[in-house]
Amino acid sequence: MASTQPTANGSLQHSATAESSASSFKSSASKADPSATPVSSSQTTATTTAPPEEEEEPEWQAPKNGPLKTPIYTPMKSAKPNSLSSRPLTPEQETKYATVFAAVSQWQTLPSTSLKDGAQAPLQDHERMWLTRECLLRYLRATKWNTPNALKRLQSTISWRREYGADTFSADYISPENETGKQLILGYDNEARPCLYLMPAKQNTKMSDRQIHHLCYMLDRTIDMMPPGQESACLLISFKGAGNGHVPTVAQARAVLNILQNHSPERLGKALISELPWYVATFFKLISPFIDPVTREKMKFNEDLRTYVPKQQLWSQHGGSKNGELNFEYDHDSYWPALDKEIQRRRVAFRERWEKGGKLIGEYEEYLRGGRCLSMGEVIRKAEAEKGETVGGAMEGDADLVAAEVAKLSV
């Protein structure tokens, strides 16, 4: 017999297995609407009564009175996000998502280290906020829809971020690493992915943990700069002027791949690598066994960058003869405070929307980033109003599992 216990958000929930919960979910949904099927229910849109459309912003333009010295905050209007998470799920994928959602919703504590039998600590609000619908789907796709593996990796990432201190890195701590502008968040590609430039030739510090912290910090900030509907980034890596001493060690490369592949799955949209000297090509051959096939497929070498990034937002100093039109000059005292100010503004707005939406696990990133999308709580209430009863019928009281059914609605 299933017992009840508090969930991570304090509601009562049955402690039956996630698989049986997911199955009963589909059963209760069918009882509420005999004509509904998993596929048809997933087509219901969460934007039917979205907030009024805001006044359209003008097209971004570069300054005419000198070089740009600050980040770019909006993609070109021609850039269109193409998020995998916005695509309809198959009935099998819906069941797997509901299974993962149900399990994650019951998390109360998680290990604070990657060590076996490590000390447990309560799940924090910023960790619950990280567990969005799209986040769960990214980990499911990365594990080829293997629900136990997806859950294991989700938990592993939270434990790793705690142990690594990823959520404690501040702009002031990272600032010395970026004084030469060796990493830049600047502009957006043709699919509205924020662009992160990496330029090893501008290395200004000796090898240390903070160098890897720097990349971790900039990847997180690149995610903060994503517009509604986008969930991946574009890396532009130029080895122009990089001597042999500027090439990362294999150990550093593996640490970076660990962050990208294991703890930021599905976050890399494209990696555009240009101006490779022979020793860098040799380096990539050395680390190729550690690069998974999905990541390797996204890596493009010495291609025309204008194929991927609109020339108006492509830095003119990057890409050799195949560069863009953007006149940008890195001035640390101008760029770094401007980036931090914009990041803080976005993070505060993101958090406020999450709190306004009910602080739910499985919230929609489209909503959290300010897109024209209802929150998950609003979708639940709308579905309840249309049915004239609590969504889930026989599962009344199982708030998190009911939300799992609603979370499958396309956004």
Side-chain angles (χ1 to χ4, degrees), residues 63 65-70 327-329:
N65 58 349
L68 178 70
K69 295 185 178 182
T70 57
N327 181 14
F328 175 82
E329 178 183 300

Side-chain angles (χ1 to χ4, degrees), residues 53-121:
E53 191 168 352
E54 297 179 0
E55 187 175 337
E56 191 172 315
E57 293 184 2
E59 180 75 280
W60 179 87
Q61 291 186 341
K64 296 185 172 72
N65 58 349
L68 178 70
K69 295 185 178 182
T70 57
I72 296 172
Y73 305 129
T74 58
M76 303 299 293
K77 289 185 178 180
S78 59
K80 303 298 180 185
N82 185 22
S83 169
L84 291 175
S85 295
S86 65
R87 300 174 187 177
L89 303 180
T90 67
E92 182 182 6
Q93 289 171 343
E94 288 182 351
T95 299
K96 290 178 182 295
Y97 174 82
T99 299
V100 169
F101 182 96
V104 168
S105 296
Q106 296 181 58
W107 286 354
Q108 299 283 336
T109 62
L110 289 176
S112 292
T113 72
S114 56
L115 298 175
K116 188 177 180 180
D117 300 322
Q120 299 267 327

Side-chain angles (χ1 to χ4, degrees), residues 260-295:
L260 280 174
Q261 296 177 169
N262 296 332
H263 301 303
S264 305
E266 302 285 311
R267 284 301 199 184
L268 179 62
K270 281 284 185 292
L272 309 176
I273 305 162
S274 58
E275 303 188 76
L276 277 75
W278 67 267
Y279 44 83
V280 175
T282 301
F283 168 76
F284 274 107
K285 288 180 181 178
L286 285 173
I287 67 169
S288 62
F290 309 113
I291 304 175
D292 67 45
V294 175
T295 301

Side-chain angles (χ1 to χ4, degrees), residues 10 12 22-23 38 54 58 64 76 97 108 119 123 140 152 154 166 198 223 231 274 289 332 357 372 378 382:
L12 291 180
S23 299
E54 297 179 0
K64 296 185 172 72
M76 303 299 293
Y97 174 82
Q108 299 283 336
L123 197 65
L140 276 166
K152 182 178 179 180
L154 281 163
L198 306 178
I223 292 169
E231 55 180 330
S274 58
H332 190 67
R372 297 192 68 251
E378 290 172 310
K382 182 174 182 293

Side-chain angles (χ1 to χ4, degrees), residues 166-180:
D167 295 312
T168 67
F169 303 151
S170 66
D172 287 343
Y173 167 66
I174 298 297
S175 178
E177 290 290 340
N178 214 69
E179 287 181 352
T180 58

Side-chain angles (χ1 to χ4, degrees), residues 308-372:
Y308 303 99
V309 183
K311 59 184 180 181
Q312 301 94 323
Q313 293 195 0
L314 177 61
W315 191 13
S316 61
Q317 295 182 24
H318 195 93
S321 61
K322 304 170 184 176
N323 50 19
E325 297 178 349
L326 179 62
N327 181 14
F328 175 82
E329 178 183 300
Y330 187 75
D331 176 69
H332 190 67
D333 291 338
S334 299
Y335 177 91
W336 199 247
L339 175 66
D340 186 50
K341 181 178 180 181
E342 177 64 14
I343 292 299
Q344 295 308 319
R345 183 191 71 79
R346 291 181 182 230
R347 289 172 66 83
V348 167
F350 192 99
R351 175 110 186 186
E352 287 178 348
R353 293 187 192 103
W354 184 68
E355 291 175 347
K356 183 179 179 181
K359 302 174 74 172
L360 299 176
I361 286 176
E363 186 59 90
Y364 302 126
E365 286 182 8
E366 176 93 6
Y367 160 74
L368 293 172
R369 297 197 187 284
R372 297 192 68 251

